[in-house]
Amino acid sequence: MDHHQDRPDQDRLVSGLRDATIQVLRTMAGREVAYVGLSAMNQFVLKDEACGVVRLRGSVSGLVAISCGLDLAQYLVSCIIGVAIDEIGQEELLDGVSELTNMICGGVKTHLGGGGGVELLPPLAVVGSEYVAQWKTDCDTSVLLFRVDDNTFRVYASV
Amino acid sequence: MAITKEEFDLIRQFVHEHSGILVGDGKEYLVENRLNVILVKNKCDNFFQLYEKLKKDNGALCVEVIDAMTTNETLWFRDTSFFAALSNFVIPTLLEKALHKPKIRIWSAACSTGQEPYSVAMLLDQARSAMGKTAPPLDRFAILATDISPSVLSIATMGRYSQLAISRGMRPAFLERFFINRGSYYEVAPGIHDIVTFKQFNLKEDFKPLGSFDFILCRNVLIYFSNELKSEIYRKLYESLVRDGILSIGASESPRGYTTVFEQVMVEGAALYRPSTNAGLS
Amino acid sequence: MVKLLTIDDSKTIRRVIAGIGAALGYEVLEAEHGAAGLEVLEQHADEVGLILLDWNMPGMNGLEVLKTIKANQNWKHIPVMMVTTEGEREYIIQAIQAGAIHYQTKPFTQEDISARIMEALGQGKGRSGGNVA
């Protein structure tokens, strides 16, 4: 983290991310999402089978990420592009996860920057089971938990 | 340049007054996301200026703002109380009527891109199948679907929906039964398409040329009208309904205060309206 | 036959837009970044009736692509609609000033995009719902 920057209002960030996640999944994938609650981690660690990460830099910096199980990721992508789950290859999955991350993160960018001072870097998507991703930060990470049907969908913010 | 608390309060108060829709605390994000384009196109520097313009120009700009804040919700019917009322009360009532009447006429008064009239047609056909041999034929029903906008009507008339539209509430069983998969999009099956007629129509016009109806859906459209016009449109809706007809309006709407000619009927938690038996026009 | 051109680095979004275009009866040409989009225009400028343009892409960004299109005598008449996650006012102002006819933020619905396509291609103007007194 860049220490000279003020941290944005965390409540506003969380409510923005919550609304953006609900809106993106409803609009693009037709899924109704239930917001379960918020927790905090003192580390930024991702280990679900599918995750997407966007780096913010500028007047505010940090990371926003989404993660969920592989089955849910495949299902969401299949809802968006309209092909059967077994027709979704790695390319479609990676691109779909990236775009979901991009839209969820993009939705709250206006909140964070206030004047175009925040830049979103292209998303990074990771799909597979054998990894743990960690980002070194001295900020707590907010973790928003959602239910999509019977699956868990998480959104992380360390900003 | 983010929206201020004062601006947010003014805008949400405006939206509430004109649509009955409440924009909750902490939804600044929603207002900004949906209205920034309108703000820029109207050469406003901030939301206060947009609000000032809205107050003065209660016309096209108001429609655009309310639309931006309330649409995005053109969905196929799904598990809401309205859907339950439709499936369990309105559709059986209409089917029963169709056994004794040569034509049952339904009007979707602001059909947008067509999801509403097609959904009604699909529900009718599904309920017919469940009735078996005694069911009235589907062509005994005629659905008139109107909208003021030619562009949305042309989309509705085609009856073709991309995956993005289908995924928003279409039940898999209905998709399989009532649509033809054309690869990159889905097309409403001919039997369903055939009983729906589309027509451009402005609700300010005289309704008489449209004839009378057994069921009218005029959902979430009167929110755009002035109180005076609301009264007039409720009167015209009343005159367009047959004596035992049914009117459906949006969940946040009510004819109360505009007319006394309708009786409310609560079905499955949803409010429907029937012409009052002792109606004197207000 | 009028075609649409979507320039977006996300294949997911290109497929969604192609589906919407197909439902409206239009063939949709696809390009995965700005330079590829300009190449498509070199080949098909006469057929393209509307360009749907992302903002954040590798290489040229959407604004640079938009300015390039509007500076070209052969292309400047083609309407361009931005389709992007960037919803900040500064971005919208820049795009409208550079000649974009509309600015659609992601996520979007089929209705959002379809109605704009029909308007841009002269298939009627207006909106759903009623008129205001």
Side-chain angles (χ1 to χ4, degrees):
Chain A
M1 281 304 286
D2 300 323
H3 291 276
H4 65 276
Q5 295 164 329
D6 290 333
R7 291 190 74 189
D9 179 337
Q10 295 292 304
D11 289 345
R12 219 173 160 197
L13 170 64
V14 165
S15 78
L17 276 172
R18 184 194 62 210
D19 292 353
T21 305
I22 291 170
Q23 198 198 358
V24 167
L25 294 184
R26 178 189 287 160
T27 314
M28 301 302 291
R31 306 323 306 164
E32 286 304 326
V33 178
Y35 177 59
V36 179
L38 178 71
S39 61
M41 300 191 297
N42 55 12
Q43 288 182 301
F44 194 110
V45 176
L46 300 168
K47 51 189 175 187
D48 276 340
E49 287 174 321
C51 74
V53 185
V54 168
R55 174 96 161 91
L56 307 172
R57 74 172 176 203
S59 59
V60 168
S61 77
L63 278 194
V64 173
I66 65 169
S67 83
C68 62
L70 199 58
D71 290 350
L72 179 59
Q74 285 173 328
Y75 177 64
L76 291 174
V77 174
S78 87
C79 289
I80 296 170
I81 61 177
V83 300
I85 288 176
D86 55 15
E87 288 172 41
I88 294 187
Q90 198 165 61
E91 186 192 348
E92 286 82 11
L93 191 60
L94 285 167
D95 191 78
V97 169
S98 287
E99 197 52 30
L100 279 174
T101 318
N102 198 26
M103 286 189 281
I104 289 171
C105 188
V108 291
K109 189 185 153 211
T110 320
H111 262 14
L112 297 171
V118 184
E119 188 188 353
L120 296 185
L121 296 182
L124 163 77
V126 181
V127 171
S129 52
E130 295 296 319
Y131 76 90
V132 176
Q134 183 187 27
W135 185 56
K136 296 221 170 165
T137 170
D138 56 1
C139 283
D140 279 351
T141 300
S142 299
V143 185
L144 290 78
L145 190 65
F146 298 86
R147 299 293 293 172
V148 186
D149 302 324
D150 288 328
N151 298 291
T152 301
F153 187 92
R154 291 185 181 84
V155 177
Y156 308 78
S158 179
V159 180
Chain B
M1 282 241 290
I3 190 168
T4 66
K5 177 81 177 72
E6 291 73 24
E7 289 174 321
F8 174 64
D9 286 340
L10 287 171
I11 295 286
R12 66 173 172 166
Q13 183 192 337
F14 179 87
V15 170
H16 183 237
E17 277 170 12
H18 285 77
S19 68
I21 289 160
L22 288 164
V23 180
D25 288 341
K27 301 277 186 198
E28 286 90 345
Y29 146 82
L30 194 73
V31 171
E32 275 185 301
N33 257 28
R34 302 240 176 122
L35 299 187
N36 261 346
V37 174
I38 297 175
L39 184 137
V40 170
K41 282 191 156 180
N42 284 281
K43 302 189 168 50
C44 299
D45 292 332
N46 53 51
F47 279 95
F48 185 73
Q49 285 181 10
L50 182 68
Y51 174 75
E52 288 293 313
K53 275 201 172 170
L54 279 169
K55 275 200 309 189
K56 286 183 199 129
D57 164 10
N58 208 8
L61 183 60
C62 168
V63 171
E64 215 179 334
V65 166
I66 301 290
D67 236 17
M69 291 304 298
T70 57
T71 51
N72 269 351
E73 298 302 335
T74 312
L75 299 170
W76 305 96
F77 291 161
R78 53 176 159 192
D79 301 330
T80 58
S81 53
F82 167 65
F83 177 82
L86 197 61
S87 312
N88 301 335
F89 176 71
V90 179
I91 298 288
T93 305
L94 297 175
L95 281 170
E96 170 65 27
K97 248 182 156 178
L99 295 172
H100 317 291
K101 203 176 162 184
K103 209 72 173 177
I104 300 296
R105 299 190 72 229
I106 298 162
W107 179 20
S108 168
C111 70
S112 186
T113 40
Q115 281 90 335
E116 181 175 273
Y118 289 131
S119 290
V120 171
M122 291 174 208
L123 286 173
L124 280 168
D125 196 49
Q126 186 203 33
R128 272 182 64 253
S129 305
M131 274 176 90
K133 284 183 182 163
T134 57
L138 189 60
D139 62 8
R140 201 162 282 183
F141 298 90
I143 303 177
L144 174 68
T146 63
D147 201 283
I148 193 169
S149 158
S151 55
V152 299
L153 270 178
S154 57
I155 296 165
T157 308
M158 281 188 256
R160 294 166 172 182
Y161 298 92
S162 71
Q163 173 64 27
L164 197 61
I166 287 292
S167 68
R168 298 174 68 225
M170 175 52 64
R171 295 186 294 175
F174 271 38
L175 183 61
E176 190 156 315
R177 178 164 168 188
F178 297 119
F179 287 86
I180 301 162
N181 186 343
R182 298 282 190 206
S184 48
Y185 62 89
Y186 294 88
E187 193 168 304
V188 174
I192 296 299
H193 197 275
D194 291 349
I195 66 161
V196 186
T197 307
F198 292 92
K199 179 183 165 65
Q200 190 189 355
F201 186 75
N202 185 336
L203 293 174
K204 284 182 184 169
E205 291 171 36
D206 184 7
F207 290 6
K208 285 199 187 77
L210 303 178
S212 62
F213 297 93
D214 298 274
F215 178 40
I216 300 176
L217 299 109
C218 187
R219 297 175 58 75
N220 304 315
V221 59
L222 296 187
I223 53 177
Y224 298 106
F225 293 85
S226 68
N227 288 347
E228 198 180 312
L229 262 172
K230 274 190 194 120
S231 298
E232 188 189 325
I233 291 170
Y234 276 121
R235 179 183 58 77
K236 293 194 288 187
L237 286 169
Y238 170 79
E239 288 168 359
S240 299
L241 270 181
V242 298
R243 216 155 38 91
D244 58 350
I246 303 167
L247 170 69
S248 165
I249 56 179
S252 67
E253 301 174 291
S254 166
R256 193 182 303 165
Y258 304 108
T259 178
T260 56
V261 298
F262 290 106
E263 280 174 8
Q264 193 185 69
V265 188
M266 289 303 292
V267 182
E268 308 269 357
L272 297 169
Y273 296 87
R274 299 196 97 146
S276 172
T277 43
N278 53 354
L281 291 180
S282 61
Chain C
M1 179 64 193
V2 175
K3 293 175 182 166
L4 311 176
L5 168 60
T6 168
I7 307 175
D8 197 309
D9 60 329
S10 165
K11 189 179 178 186
T12 307
I13 296 296
R14 295 201 305 272
R15 283 178 80 154
V16 167
I17 289 174
I20 294 172
L24 296 174
Y26 295 107
E27 187 184 329
V28 180
L29 305 171
E30 298 181 28
E32 61 185 321
H33 50 72
L38 299 178
E39 269 175 43
V40 173
L41 279 179
E42 295 275 5
Q43 305 287 321
H44 301 276
D46 295 345
E47 300 160 272
V48 174
L50 175 68
I51 299 166
L52 299 105
L53 179 60
D54 187 18
W55 192 297
N56 292 321
M57 293 181 288
M60 294 169 87
N61 70 31
L63 185 65
E64 291 163 345
V65 176
L66 173 62
K67 286 178 174 170
T68 307
I69 291 168
K70 292 298 165 188
N72 183 306
Q73 286 301 320
N74 298 323
W75 304 338
K76 67 178 185 186
H77 65 282
I78 304 171
V80 178
M81 166 176 173
M82 303 303 293
V83 182
T84 168
T85 53
E86 297 290 355
E88 285 178 89
R89 254 174 271 169
E90 290 73 10
Y91 285 79
I92 302 168
I93 292 167
Q94 288 181 63
I96 300 285
Q97 283 177 346
I101 56 152
H102 193 69
Y103 196 103
Q104 177 64 52
T105 50
K106 300 174 188 173
F108 51 77
T109 63
Q110 175 177 339
E111 295 79 43
D112 291 330
I113 298 278
S114 301
R116 299 301 173 189
I117 291 174
M118 303 304 267
E119 279 174 33
L121 299 178
Q123 302 291 309
K125 278 190 157 170
R127 47 167 296 281
S128 62
N131 213 348
V132 161

